[in-house]
Amino acid sequence: MKQRTQVEQDAFQAWIYASNCLLYEKDPGPAELNVGSADEPRSEAWQHGYALNVLVDCDGDHARLLAAAQQCRDDLRRKADLGAQRVRELSRAADLCEQAARTVEQAGAIGDDKARRRLVASCEHETTVMALVVLPEVVEDSARDLVDKLAAIDAEPGPSPEAAAKAALETARRLAGQAHVVGWDPDAEPWRAPFQWIMWGLFGWRRGWPVAPVRDAPWQDMVSGERSDGWRTRAAVLGREHAFAVDYHLCRRCRLGWVEHPFTMPEYQRCGLASAALAQLRAEHPGLSWHTLGGHFRESRPFWAAVGAGVPGGYQQRRVCPHITNG
């Protein structure tokens, strides 16, 4: 019998978890089971729990998780004779791997070994709680083990500032490559007011990068907190912060698009986030001429020249059309 490679084994284990997830996620189950709540439906809680199991099995290794997800996707494409149930299982297995990979990203655990080990230890405890909450003594032992593991990890020397900066850049570059993975918040004005905040950006004070309710997506698209009348924000998310954000608006009647105030957090600049975001917006909305509302500051002209090369409109300044009343 041919021995599985590491990636094949990881994908196989993810498939096992996916099969169980699909089997039980819609089962109401015993009331005392610690899965699901008013804020997190049972099906989402099951998927979250199994994604954590996948993360632990892959030792929090971001590359392994992405490779396993790709293996599952490849199996779906290569095996045309798969039944409907196997298709669902492999698709869910890929989803679990990708969800686990995003958890690693959000924890800042790519390239940071201590952060990765802390994450794995925490996920081990969480999966124990979810599975064995009816055994309080087991949960208590797991909690004590977690405290001991975290203390031991914290006592070790941390990464150098140079290594931390390098890891941040690597994470941002990976995020740029995921610009097509977008979580959408279709809601309108009610999401605006509660999430106003102020941050100094490249172009001055800007307000209202709202916290999007869409979970588990490295890029998010939401109602703009700074502009009304249909303006939206496309943002790249790392952990709990926006590494990049840009406001945009479209007029399909005039076949025009506008982008305003692209801003990248200083530690993630020159990683391709802005270029990837603008390219993705163009791909999602082909056939438009793209512009900005304001002129380009001297220091930003090389950027606009680079991203506007060959783009209809070239991101040159243009006032909004009559169909957009508030810029």
Side-chain angles (χ1 to χ4, degrees):
M1 181 177 178
K2 180 183 176 182
Q3 187 173 3
R4 294 190 182 98
T5 64
Q6 180 67 70
V7 66
E8 289 171 340
Q9 181 59 37
D10 291 341
F12 176 72
Q13 190 62 51
W15 169 72
I16 292 175
Y17 285 128
S19 301
N20 279 275
C21 184
L22 289 169
L23 185 62
Y24 294 114
E25 65 184 31
K26 294 184 179 179
D27 183 355
E32 67 270 16
L33 190 63
N34 186 30
V35 176
S37 67
D39 296 327
E40 185 177 41
R42 184 180 177 86
S43 60
E44 293 184 15
W46 271 116
Q47 293 167 33
H48 170 72
Y50 278 110
L52 296 186
N53 277 302
V54 172
L55 187 154
V56 171
D57 276 10
C58 289
D59 203 26
D61 188 317
H62 188 261
R64 280 179 63 183
L65 291 165
L66 292 183
Q70 188 60 53
Q71 180 71 38
C72 294
R73 302 285 186 203
D74 289 345
D75 287 345
L76 279 171
R77 285 191 291 268
R78 285 195 297 259
K79 300 177 182 179
D81 58 343
L82 291 174
Q85 180 62 24
R86 187 62 179 271
V87 168
R88 283 193 295 270
E89 291 168 353
L90 281 172
S91 180
R92 176 57 57 79
D95 290 342
L96 294 178
C97 292
E98 290 166 355
Q99 184 175 343
R102 288 193 292 271
T103 300
V104 175
E105 294 162 10
Q106 292 163 2
I110 301 176
D112 185 337
D113 188 61
K114 290 182 68 173
R116 178 190 62 79
R117 290 159 56 203
R118 287 179 60 87
L119 176 63
V120 171
S122 299
C123 291
E124 284 179 325
H125 172 63
E126 185 170 347
T127 55
T128 298
V129 172
M130 292 179 68
L132 300 173
V133 67
V134 294
L135 300 174
E137 65 280 4
V138 175
V139 173
E140 291 174 5
D141 287 343
S142 177
R144 284 191 291 268
D145 288 344
L146 174 61
V147 170
D148 292 341
K149 287 180 181 178
L150 296 181
I153 294 170
D154 288 342
E156 298 173 1
S160 67
E162 293 78 10
K166 182 179 179 181
L169 292 177
E170 291 175 352
T171 301
R173 292 188 184 105
R174 290 190 183 94
L175 187 59
Q178 297 175 308
H180 61 288
V181 184
V182 183
W184 290 82
D185 165 25
D187 293 347
E189 296 297 318
W191 283 105
R192 290 169 54 87
F195 301 111
Q196 298 292 320
W197 61 290
I198 300 174
M199 176 168 286
W200 179 257
L202 179 61
F203 302 104
W205 288 98
R206 66 170 317 201
R207 298 176 180 269
W209 289 0
V211 176
V214 181
R215 300 188 314 161
D216 296 327
W219 289 77
Q220 297 175 348
D221 196 288
M222 65 208 82
V223 173
S224 171
E226 183 176 342
R227 296 174 175 83
S228 58
D229 194 42
W231 282 83
R232 296 186 67 83
T233 296
R234 178 64 59 90
V237 181
L238 282 175
R240 295 186 177 183
E241 71 178 7
H242 288 169
F244 167 83
V246 62
D247 287 342
Y248 73 96
H249 205 323
L250 311 172
C251 179
R252 301 188 185 281
R253 295 169 65 180
C254 297
R255 303 195 68 77
L256 294 171
W258 288 265
V259 295
E260 271 296 288
H261 286 183
F263 175 71
T264 306
M265 294 288 284
E267 59 267 39
Y268 303 120
Q269 290 176 359
R270 297 179 178 83
C271 293
L273 291 172
S275 298
L278 297 180
Q280 181 61 27
L281 288 173
R282 296 194 303 270
E284 292 171 8
H285 309 286
L288 302 187
S289 178
W290 289 91
H291 300 273
T292 59
L293 289 179
H296 302 158
F297 292 108
R298 179 180 301 175
E299 61 270 23
S300 69
R301 287 173 187 166
F303 164 78
W304 288 113
V307 298
V311 175
Y315 296 107
Q316 295 301 307
Q317 183 177 8
R318 178 170 181 157
R319 294 179 62 84
V320 292
C321 65
H323 310 117
I324 301 174
T325 59
N326 184 355

